[in-house]
Amino acid sequence: MKKILAIIVLLCALGVSASAADMTFTPEGEGKWIYCNNPEAIRNQDLMNSDDNPPSYIMNNENLEPDLYDFLICHINYTDSNGGYGAGYEIEVDVELTAVEDSEITINKAFFEAVEDESFIFSDGTWSKETNKFGCINGLASMLGVNLSQLNGAWLYEAKPYEPVTVELKKGETIWLSDYMDDYTSIGYHKPSQILGELSLNYGKMNFNVAAFKTGDELKDRSSFDPNAKFGKYSYTRTEKGIADSLPKVNVDLEYTIDNTYKDGEYIKNKVFNQYQPDGYVTDAWCTNLNPQDDIWSKDISVQSDLLTLTYKDDSKLDYYGSNVKEKEKNNLWIWDPYHSDTAEYPGASTWYNREDYVPNYELSVKRSNQGYGCSMGNYCVTEAYNLKVKNVTNKDKYFEYVAETSSNIAVYVEDENGKHSGLLKDESSPAKKDTMASVLIPANSEKEFTINMVLPINYVGGIRNSFRVCNESHIDKYYEDYADEPRAEQGPITTGVLASEVKDELPKEVKDIINGNYDSYELLKTNTGYMLRWIEWDGCPYYYTSEWGKVKTIYYLDKNYKIKDKYEFNKLIQLAVYYDGYYYVEDADGNRFKSADGQKWENYNHRMPLANITFNKSKPSKWAEKEVKRAYSLDVAPYRYKDTLVYTDNMTREKFCIILANMLKAKDKLPTEQNVKFSDTTREEVSLLGTAGIISGYEDGTFKPNNSITREEASMLLYKTAQYMGYNDFYEDYKLSDYKYADDEEIGEWAKEAVYQMNKAEIMTGMGDDMFSPKSNYTNEQSISTIMRLYDLQNKPKSTPTPTLAPTPEPTEVPTTEETDIPETDGGETTVQEN
């Protein structure tokens, strides 16, 4: 780690030394930082597959050399329709990694997040709808490897682990980063998103290019990708993109000594340096995440040295030079730092240039105002590390505290000899206010070394005012672990109805035209005559999107066949709607509530919304199954509608098992397209397609018995046949020669034994603990989803011609030959059933 010269601050008459420490940061180095936030708002013309524009990249980084690369790609979906008068559509932002020559890439970690975590929160006797923070904090916590909580404990963010993946690519081969992110999804209209991660280019050369796509019928469909698309040129939007010659971290080393003369709560003075204060400026509140050239109020106290310099090669820069500028004085390199403007086209005489002599991205001067032209640099997701050595020479314990004054939801955590500690998030506030964000005990007559880390998440303003102080008592009461142990407010689903995506295939064209591809952004509420259709994407934060309300504030009334029969346009966006006991209830963005019997004549309603009468699903998957269940939803293996209906420890039905199994095959592009097998008691397409694949065959009487619970041995048969169908061939040549036998082997049907032991060898189903398989026991919902996801991850060794291989027909006629609908297992406990 790079360090700056340590500064010793001696505490004297004021308790904290009058000789202020130099607050000068240096970059971490050790790699590169790829940052893409330009244009922040992705429009139709920025897409690879826009209907009316040529394909275009967002950012191009070509011929990168072996190194360690951290990256942040953060954008907002600003597409539109109907010439700008209609709401846009869902999009996907992705990273194309192409080998320029034979290369090896290790993806160390990669996290995707689109702000969609809206849910009903029940507290204080009522339900309200809340939206997760716009800084995409889930991904940030995982990237930092630190659990985070809001200061008041309202939101908790758990750092998720990531298993590194190494990929060898031949020259010209391409992979997409989306295939290596479990939580990858589409981005709703006007919603922000973030891709945050790290990769190593071990050898070779690669292109790291950012592209955006209009979401089609299938997530991650890159068939419209055009490698010859337009270069992702810089556009002047007060945002940047480029590469920094350092990992996203800056350091400052400081030393302080505490003696008996200090005053309780006294702030420590430090000295900052910048272009306006080259000799230093002493202050007890220094400003970070801010370019002094672009802020007239805080320029004197800005440390400036915390801002990483970004550069971006882009030939479009050559088009903006004035006619008098000589060719040898031109260059194609944009530089984003405190010394250059962020201007592209000639903005006018206020730059002190005439048009003919104008230079884009020109050098700034402190002798004139550059407000609005200096690079607007927030240093997003860059860790600002205060490496501290504090000596307490008194006979009493003291607390060294970090205080921040800002309206932004910054993250702060402490790191010491015990590693990283859980951190705090400040939460948004207006106006800015001071909060203690770190408090470290310095025992009497001792010395302690530690680091206080501060990070500004995306979508918040910079200009953080930072301070240190020494106190007799800590001003922080609780951390993540304390809040995690407390009873949490009850949470329900994101809707009181169903998402339009769940009935997409049943909707007529007139409704699809309104939805315009935003199927997860519309809710259908069941009424006594049909359905109410409304936009729900912004329910938890309506005022973030005020300018766009007019495009989506109309509610539509559909009949039982989903045909439009009426509509009603409100003055403001509706953020909550309920149909209960024959009445429509709505709540607008200002919290005003209305009630109507027919959906047209509305009267004021001054009571609580009747949400307490709605029963939400409170079931959560067991801890061991949580990751696989969440991934199954994100990959559409488990239908999203199950998220709000499944009781995870209940028995899985045969039909639901087949639906999930078929979705898994579909996700791997291995599901048949023809329905050649029919059953008399179900019309589900997924069941029929599995019959076509030879995975299920039903009962002798032509039935499928869709609502029966599936047993463990039935599940093993289905999984075994699916593995064979997928071409997996790493099985026992003869399972009977295996050295391993379950203790209850005699209870396993002879028709199922081969499947049971082959699935054990493949580590798909490995038993219930104590060498027991429990073949006749029912399979639970979470066990089923988890083991199907294991099958999804199975490393195939395909045969030359993958063909269905049917397992033996069950001997007992009452047992289905190949239908099963549940799969997971356990450690052997009753309440926590897990497959190992």
Side-chain angles (χ1 to χ4, degrees):
M1 179 186 300
K2 293 186 177 178
K3 305 286 186 178
I4 70 162
L5 180 65
I7 308 295
I8 299 179
V9 181
L10 300 176
L11 300 180
C12 53
L14 295 177
V16 179
S17 175
S19 60
D22 288 358
M23 188 64 65
T24 303
F25 288 87
T26 56
E28 174 84 353
E30 306 297 333
K32 309 287 186 185
W33 174 232
I34 301 175
Y35 176 78
C36 184
N37 183 228
N38 177 269
E40 182 176 36
I42 293 181
R43 305 147 298 176
N44 299 32
Q45 60 264 36
D46 300 315
L47 301 175
M48 268 285 173
N49 56 346
S50 172
D51 296 332
D52 306 313
N53 300 277
S56 176
Y57 281 106
I58 303 295
M59 181 187 196
N60 296 77
N61 301 292
E62 299 176 346
N63 296 306
L64 298 184
E65 302 278 354
D67 210 332
L68 180 63
Y69 295 89
D70 282 15
F71 49 86
L72 169 62
I73 294 96
C74 49
H75 297 278
I76 300 175
N77 177 358
Y78 257 72
T79 57
D80 60 53
S81 61
N82 299 326
Y85 293 99
Y89 32 75
E90 293 182 4
I91 66 171
E92 300 168 31
V93 176
D94 209 344
V95 176
E96 168 220 342
L97 297 170
T98 296
V100 179
E101 57 187 47
D102 291 356
S103 303
E104 182 183 83
I105 299 170
T106 298
I107 302 171
N108 299 317
K109 45 191 169 183
F111 304 100
F112 177 88
E113 186 168 358
V115 179
E116 295 179 345
D117 292 340
E118 296 177 343
S119 62
F120 288 105
I121 309 295
F122 187 73
S123 59
D124 300 327
T126 187
W127 288 95
S128 61
K129 200 164 192 180
E130 293 188 9
T131 296
N132 211 327
K133 303 304 178 184
F134 275 81
C136 295
I137 309 296
N138 290 295
L140 178 63
S142 297
M143 181 69 178
L144 296 174
V146 174
N147 295 331
L148 299 171
S149 66
Q150 298 293 148
L151 277 174
N152 61 2
W155 289 87
L156 303 181
Y157 302 90
E158 181 182 1
K160 303 294 185 181
Y162 187 92
E163 188 69 29
V165 180
T166 297
V167 183
E168 291 184 355
L169 296 175
K170 295 296 183 182
K171 179 180 178 180
E173 287 185 337
T174 294
I175 59 173
W176 291 93
L177 194 60
S178 58
D179 289 329
Y180 301 89
M181 295 184 288
D182 289 344
D183 295 331
Y184 188 81
T185 185
S186 57
I187 306 162
Y189 174 55
H190 265 236
K191 281 294 185 74
S193 69
Q194 169 183 276
I195 296 174
L196 191 58
E198 178 183 271
L199 64 82
S200 303
L201 177 57
N202 302 322
Y203 64 79
K205 289 184 179 180
M206 72 172 181
N207 294 338
F208 183 107
N209 299 328
V210 181
F213 299 81
K214 180 179 179 180
T215 298
D217 292 335
E218 300 291 336
L219 189 69
K220 304 182 187 177
D221 178 5
R222 300 293 176 258
S223 58
S224 59
F225 168 62
D226 183 353
N228 298 313
K230 292 192 305 179
F231 185 87
K233 68 178 184 179
Y234 168 71
S235 60
Y236 176 67
T237 57
R238 305 310 319 276
T239 59
E240 291 84 33
K241 58 186 166 192
I243 300 181
D245 193 23
S246 170
L247 293 178
K249 186 176 182 181
V250 291
N251 296 278
V252 57
D253 288 10
L254 301 164
E255 295 186 12
Y256 300 99
T257 300
I258 304 171
D259 64 17
N260 287 317
T261 60
Y262 88 98
K263 296 178 181 178
D264 182 24
E266 182 181 3
Y267 286 92
I268 300 174
K269 293 186 180 297
N270 293 281
K271 183 183 288 187
V272 301
F273 299 84
N274 59 49
Q275 298 169 74
Y276 295 95
Q277 298 292 341
D279 297 325
Y281 185 89
V282 176
T283 177
D284 60 11
W286 61 96
C287 196
T288 59
N289 305 83
L290 183 74
N291 181 359
Q293 287 275 16
D294 197 46
D295 189 280
I296 61 175
W297 299 279
S298 303
K299 63 182 183 181
D300 288 326
I301 62 171
S302 170
V303 300
Q304 182 176 300
S305 56
D306 65 318
L307 302 175
L308 288 179
T309 297
L310 299 166
T311 60
Y312 186 59
K313 289 184 177 180
D314 171 13
D315 287 345
S316 73
K317 181 182 179 183
L318 301 172
D319 299 332
Y320 301 125
Y321 283 91
S323 58
N324 290 343
V325 180
K326 298 177 181 179
E327 288 298 320
K328 65 180 181 180
E329 296 174 352
K330 300 177 182 179
N331 67 73
N332 67 347
L333 187 68
W334 299 101
I335 303 175
W336 316 122
D337 66 5
Y339 301 96
H340 289 80
S341 76
D342 62 358
T343 57
E345 293 186 67
Y346 178 63
S350 57
T351 62
W352 299 84
Y353 280 96
N354 59 47
R355 183 180 298 275
E356 291 74 18
D357 299 319
Y358 172 70
V359 174
N361 194 208
Y362 60 86
E363 292 188 14
L364 303 174
S365 170
V366 295
K367 296 180 179 179
R368 57 176 182 257
S369 172
N370 296 299
Q371 184 74 21
Y373 298 121
C375 296
S376 181
M377 305 178 71
N379 236 27
Y380 292 110
C381 294
V382 173
T383 299
E384 309 213 346
Y386 299 91
N387 303 312
L388 296 153
K389 181 185 290 186
V390 180
K391 180 182 291 186
N392 178 6
V393 298
T394 75
N395 295 321
K396 294 182 179 179
D397 292 348
K398 305 298 178 184
Y399 288 88
F400 188 92
E401 297 194 329
Y402 167 77
V403 179
E405 182 178 5
T406 177
S407 61
S408 296
N409 194 30
I410 62 170
V412 178
Y413 66 95
V414 173
E415 191 170 2
D416 59 19
E417 69 276 7
N418 297 315
K420 296 178 180 179
H421 297 264
S422 60
L424 294 173
L425 292 156
K426 194 175 183 301
D427 211 345
E428 303 106 341
S429 62
S430 183
K433 63 186 184 72
K434 284 186 176 182
D435 281 301
T436 303
M437 299 299 298
S439 183
V440 178
L441 172 65
I442 314 296
N445 296 304
S446 70
E447 181 178 277
K448 186 174 180 64
E449 294 186 27
F450 57 97
T451 298
I452 295 176
N453 299 284
M454 188 276 289
V455 185
L456 175 64
I458 65 171
N459 298 322
Y460 295 110
V461 297
I464 317 300
R465 293 201 175 207
N466 313 264
S467 299
F468 292 147
R469 68 182 177 189
V470 180
C471 300
N472 292 340
E473 297 179 351
S474 175
H475 290 81
I476 296 178
D477 297 323
K478 294 181 178 180
Y479 292 90
Y480 177 94
E481 294 79 9
D482 302 302
Y483 289 116
D485 290 338
E486 292 181 349
R488 309 296 297 165
E490 296 183 30
Q491 284 193 333
I494 64 169
T495 67
T496 56
V498 297
L499 294 173
S501 57
E502 298 301 326
V503 293
K504 178 171 64 173
D505 295 338
E506 302 174 50
L507 299 177
K509 184 178 183 302
E510 59 179 356
V511 176
K512 289 183 176 180
D513 288 344
I514 292 169
I515 293 174
N516 192 32
N518 296 296
Y519 290 101
D520 286 338
S521 300
Y522 278 90
E523 172 188 42
L524 285 157
L525 284 173
K526 188 76 173 69
T527 71
N528 60 350
T529 59
Y531 303 90
M532 173 196 284
L533 176 72
R534 75 174 188 93
W535 177 267
I536 64 166
E537 188 71 29
W538 307 333
D539 280 3
C541 48
Y543 270 98
Y544 190 82
Y545 308 101
T546 309
S547 62
E548 306 299 318
W549 283 0
K551 299 176 181 179
V552 293
K553 64 182 181 180
T554 299
I555 282 181
Y556 296 88
Y557 303 101
L558 315 180
D559 64 19
K560 294 182 179 180
N561 295 316
Y562 304 106
K563 294 182 179 179
I564 298 174
K565 62 180 184 179
D566 213 338
K567 63 182 180 180
Y568 188 88
E569 183 174 319
F570 289 86
N571 293 327
K572 294 185 178 179
L573 186 72
I574 297 303
Q575 64 173 350
L576 183 58
V578 180
Y579 185 82
Y580 177 71
D581 199 22
Y583 286 92
Y584 299 92
Y585 298 85
V586 298
E587 181 179 298
D588 69 16
D590 284 340
N592 301 311
R593 295 168 183 166
F594 305 94
K595 175 182 178 180
S596 174
D598 61 1
Q600 296 295 329
K601 297 176 182 178
W602 294 88
E603 60 185 56
N604 290 328
Y605 179 71
N606 298 318
H607 305 282
R608 289 178 179 172
M609 297 286 278
L611 283 167
N613 297 293
I614 296 174
T615 302
F616 289 135
N617 174 30
K618 306 294 194 309
S619 177
K620 303 292 182 186
S622 300
K623 195 69 176 177
W624 65 267
E626 184 178 346
K627 180 179 179 180
E628 295 301 342
V629 169
K630 184 175 181 180
R631 198 159 65 98
Y633 286 128
S634 70
L635 293 171
D636 290 330
V637 171
Y640 194 81
R641 64 181 179 275
Y642 289 178
K643 192 172 185 178
D644 298 327
T645 59
L646 276 188
V647 177
Y648 292 97
T649 54
D650 279 1
N651 297 333
M652 174 68 81
T653 67
R654 292 167 52 79
E655 183 172 86
K656 282 183 179 176
F657 187 86
C658 285
I659 290 171
I660 297 171
L661 197 59
N663 286 345
M664 184 274 290
L665 288 173
K666 184 178 180 181
K668 296 184 77 68
D669 199 26
K670 292 183 178 293
L671 188 66
T673 56
E674 296 183 4
Q675 301 180 48
N676 298 329
V677 177
K678 302 288 185 181
F679 300 97
S680 61
D681 55 352
T682 180
T683 59
R684 291 297 309 198
E685 178 186 15
E686 296 91 341
V687 176
S688 179
L689 292 174
L690 290 185
T692 300
I695 294 172
I696 60 174
S697 57
Y699 290 85
E700 290 184 348
D701 61 0
T703 63
F704 174 69
K705 298 185 176 16
N707 297 320
N708 283 9
S709 297
I710 191 170
T711 66
R712 291 175 52 79
E713 61 184 359
E714 290 173 345
S716 69
M717 179 66 78
L718 280 182
L719 294 172
Y720 180 41
K721 285 193 169 187
T722 303
Q724 290 177 307
Y725 178 75
M726 292 165 60
Y728 185 75
N729 59 9
D730 189 19
F731 295 124
Y732 294 118
E733 290 187 11
D734 184 349
Y735 78 94
K736 295 179 181 178
L737 301 179
S738 168
D739 293 334
Y740 178 75
K741 273 194 176 183
Y742 285 110
D744 55 354
D745 175 80
E746 293 183 358
E747 297 179 20
I748 303 172
E750 288 298 324
W751 60 272
K753 280 190 176 181
E754 180 174 1
V756 168
Y757 285 104
Q758 298 291 19
M759 288 297 90
N760 176 283
K761 183 179 189 298
E763 298 184 351
I764 302 299
M765 290 182 74
T766 56
M768 300 290 289
D770 297 328
D771 289 331
M772 301 292 287
F773 183 74
S774 302
K776 311 302 181 190
S777 298
N778 292 323
Y779 220 30
T780 68
N781 291 318
E782 63 185 1
Q783 288 176 334
S784 299
I785 294 173
S786 296
T787 48
I788 288 175
M789 289 308 298
R790 291 175 197 169
L791 199 60
Y792 175 89
D793 291 331
L794 199 62
Q795 293 298 313
N796 291 334
K797 296 181 180 179
K799 302 172 183 177
S800 56
T801 306
T803 56
T805 303
L806 302 184
T809 302
E811 292 179 3
T813 56
E814 72 275 14
V815 178
T817 52
T818 50
E819 327 219 52
E820 279 80 47
T821 331
D822 314 2
I823 310 173
E825 328 245 355
T826 90
D827 293 328
E830 288 186 352
T831 56
T832 305
V833 183
Q834 176 182 358
E835 171 136 314
N836 298 323

